[in-house]
Amino acid sequence: MPSVALKLYSVFFKFVFKHRLQNLIQSSNDESSSPYGVTTRPEESVSASNPSFTDGVATKDIHIDPFTALSIRIFLPDSSLFPPEQSDSKAKPRSSQKDDPNSHNHRRSSYGPPNVGAPRNDSRRSSLEGLNLRSDNNAYRGYSPSPRNCRKLPVVLQFHGGGWVSGSNDSVANDYFCRRIAKLCDVIVVAVGYRLAPENKYPAAFEDGLKVLNWLAKQANLAECSKSLGNGARGAGSEFTKAEFQRHFVDAFGASMVEPWLAAHGDPSRCVLLGVSCGANIADYVARKAVEAGKLLDPVKVVAQVLMYPFFIGNVPTQSEIKLANSYFYDKAMCLLAWKLFLTKEEFSLDHPAANPLIPDRGPPLKLMPPTLTVVAEHDWMRDRAIAYSEALRKVNVDAPVLEYKDAVHEFATLDMLLKTPQAEACAEDIAIWVKKYISLRGHEFSY
């Protein structure tokens, strides 16, 4: 059973969240919504972006849509700064992890992801000299793409939780979680700051998720255009000049600038969608739209998705929805209020396509969906429907395993109070193990 401290925190959390929902219901009745929207609440603690590889990861914020509040935070691990052969040679051998007292062998034995727990003051630090780092605070500016020297990393699009009405991509908890995923999976994480309800109801958050995926495709095409115009001729350590930073490439949607971190290090052909709670609903929607778009999204390819305790619901209650209706943190009554704030009165239904993944005629066919890892918690009232969705995927031969965690609650691996628990750490490592199967380059896959 969950600890006494967690139970007490759950009571406090429910009180605060219910009060917040009631205030939002009142404000939604008094004010008309704005298409610009909000992506964070004033009462939430946020973490400032930091481009200086703090704890091995540099971050930056980008407002990608001038007409809405949609923004992203990019998490770039320092492993991206080194050529592939150097990074691989400095990775921690898997065999040595068996004797590492800090590794979670009770969860993943000796086949965990590389570079986990590697000392930060190793010989790679000397290689930072000559890279494009500012001398004042070691902030990374980014450099022009060079196929010979730049290491290309997969991209993970991450969608935070918060019941549609709270949470943000730059919150302290989400920043910590994304840093963890970036290091464990050795990927670039792009955390999406989608618009919140009730200021922006359905389908705003879903459209924002798809817009970021399309923005990623456009960035990849602009990077290729940049190379063809001569940017790729410089060395990997050379710095963009002011004039080059101001260079714009005109495409069908207007003037756009190449994002240097993604241009230098991103590999959009290995893209993973990762959704937390209601963010899992967004991830699943974006995955379906990516399947429908097909080659129109080139060079972006969604190779897998991870749904962490998805916010699924339906008109016909499951066993867990009945038995655990008053569960910890996000109970059923509060979640129903959140859904009413997210869906319009005309569209409100527990069998809405955004809510129930198993309603009939919800395209595309499940057999076309990407491999899907589902994480569920024992004390989460939404767990059964998530498991049922995974079972439906497996019936049509989609790789769709379920990781169920005992004595766990909704958001046990992403909630601020629980982020540093052994269970949260083990969950992130388990996710990394599975994701590596689909993002590893041929010849470097994990062995199972």
Side-chain angles (χ1 to χ4, degrees):
M1 293 294 292
S3 66
V4 174
L6 187 142
K7 292 179 180 178
L8 292 175
Y9 185 66
S10 174
V11 173
F12 172 75
F13 180 91
K14 286 184 179 182
F15 175 80
V16 173
F17 192 62
K18 185 177 181 180
H19 180 70
R20 183 178 299 176
L21 289 172
Q22 290 172 340
N23 289 339
L24 291 172
I25 291 173
Q26 184 64 34
S27 65
S28 66
N29 293 332
D30 296 340
E31 302 175 4
S32 58
S33 61
S34 167
Y36 190 79
V38 297
T39 59
T40 187
R41 302 291 179 193
E43 64 271 15
E44 294 179 348
S45 299
V46 298
S47 176
S49 60
N50 187 346
S52 60
F53 290 105
T54 300
D55 193 28
V57 179
T59 61
K60 72 159 66 172
D61 295 329
I62 304 176
H63 181 206
I64 67 172
D65 185 3
F67 302 106
T68 71
L70 175 62
S71 62
I72 61 171
R73 170 164 289 187
I74 301 178
F75 296 80
L76 182 71
D78 60 3
S79 61
S80 62
L81 300 181
F82 307 96
E85 62 275 7
Q86 181 179 353
S87 181
D88 293 342
S89 65
K90 297 299 180 180
K92 189 174 183 180
R94 291 174 197 244
S95 58
S96 66
Q97 291 190 9
K98 291 182 179 181
D99 302 322
D100 187 351
N102 296 321
S103 65
H104 296 276
N105 291 330
H106 64 286
R107 294 299 305 166
R108 56 180 172 83
S109 187
S110 62
Y111 52 85
N115 295 329
V116 178
R120 284 293 167 202
N121 55 349
D122 58 17
S123 59
R124 294 193 305 170
R125 290 299 174 190
S126 60
S127 299
L128 288 172
E129 299 178 2
L131 291 175
N132 189 17
L133 302 174
R134 289 201 201 99
S135 58
D136 53 355
N137 61 358
N138 288 332
Y140 181 57
R141 294 180 181 179
Y143 49 82
S144 60
S146 172
R148 183 181 61 183
N149 294 322
C150 293
R151 187 166 182 234
K152 296 290 187 177
L153 299 181
V155 178
V156 171
L157 289 191
Q158 190 263 357
F159 306 92
H160 66 81
W164 306 118
V165 299
S166 63
S168 66
N169 65 330
D170 58 356
S171 68
V172 173
N174 201 66
D175 184 89
Y176 187 95
F177 173 73
C178 289
R179 286 176 178 274
R180 174 178 282 170
I181 292 297
K183 289 187 288 185
L184 284 173
C185 296
D186 200 18
V187 297
I188 298 174
V189 176
V190 177
V192 180
Y194 56 85
R195 290 170 290 170
L196 302 176
E199 292 85 352
N200 295 96
K201 294 180 177 289
Y202 173 86
F206 288 75
E207 291 176 342
D208 287 350
L210 184 59
K211 188 175 293 185
V212 172
L213 188 68
N214 286 320
W215 177 85
L216 183 63
K218 184 161 66 171
Q219 282 296 315
N221 289 322
L222 287 171
E224 290 300 318
C225 179
S226 171
K227 290 180 184 178
S228 67
L229 292 177
N231 285 351
R234 293 192 305 269
S238 59
E239 185 175 328
F240 275 122
T241 65
K242 182 177 180 181
E244 287 167 332
F245 263 115
Q246 294 175 342
R247 178 183 296 178
H248 287 67
F249 301 99
V250 178
D251 58 18
F253 300 97
S256 301
M257 181 182 290
V258 173
E259 204 303 299
W261 289 13
L262 292 176
H265 306 293
D267 181 1
S269 67
R270 294 180 288 159
C271 180
V272 176
L273 307 178
L274 190 158
V276 176
S277 189
C278 65
N281 297 43
I282 301 175
D284 190 62
Y285 169 84
V286 174
R288 290 190 287 117
K289 291 300 180 181
V291 169
E292 292 174 353
K295 293 185 178 181
L296 294 177
L297 270 177
D298 283 350
V300 171
K301 183 179 181 181
V302 175
V303 297
Q305 67 170 339
V306 179
L307 308 181
M308 300 183 68
Y309 20 83
F311 214 59
F312 294 152
I313 196 171
N315 271 324
V316 180
T318 64
Q319 184 176 354
S320 65
E321 290 172 0
I322 298 173
K323 182 180 178 181
L324 302 171
N326 194 33
S327 57
Y328 303 95
F329 295 99
Y330 293 90
D331 61 34
K332 188 171 182 179
M334 289 197 305
C335 290
L336 286 176
L337 288 178
W339 274 108
K340 290 179 180 178
L341 285 168
F342 180 61
L343 298 174
T344 63
K345 292 181 180 179
E346 297 77 16
E347 289 184 303
F348 180 77
S349 169
L350 298 185
D351 279 337
H352 190 282
N356 190 345
L358 296 174
I359 59 172
D361 303 323
R362 183 178 183 262
L366 290 181
K367 65 181 180 180
L368 301 179
M369 291 294 286
T372 302
L373 174 67
T374 303
V375 175
V376 297
E378 181 183 11
H379 298 292
D380 183 4
W381 66 271
M382 293 175 275
R383 59 184 296 277
D384 282 0
R385 202 172 300 273
I387 294 173
Y389 182 47
S390 181
E391 290 174 348
L393 290 171
R394 290 198 299 274
K395 286 180 181 178
V396 291
N397 297 321
V398 175
D399 182 19
V402 174
L403 290 179
E404 181 177 2
Y405 293 82
K406 300 298 182 182
D407 293 329
V409 299
H410 190 81
E411 288 223 44
F412 72 91
T414 46
L415 205 62
D416 50 1
M417 178 190 180
L418 306 175
L419 272 170
K420 297 184 180 181
T421 62
Q423 200 171 40
E425 294 175 357
C427 177
E429 292 170 356
D430 292 342
I431 289 172
I433 291 169
W434 184 82
V435 165
K436 285 280 187 175
K437 292 196 299 181
Y438 296 99
I439 62 175
S440 297
L441 294 174
R442 183 171 297 180
H444 297 274
E445 297 89 346
F446 276 178
S447 177
Y448 290 88

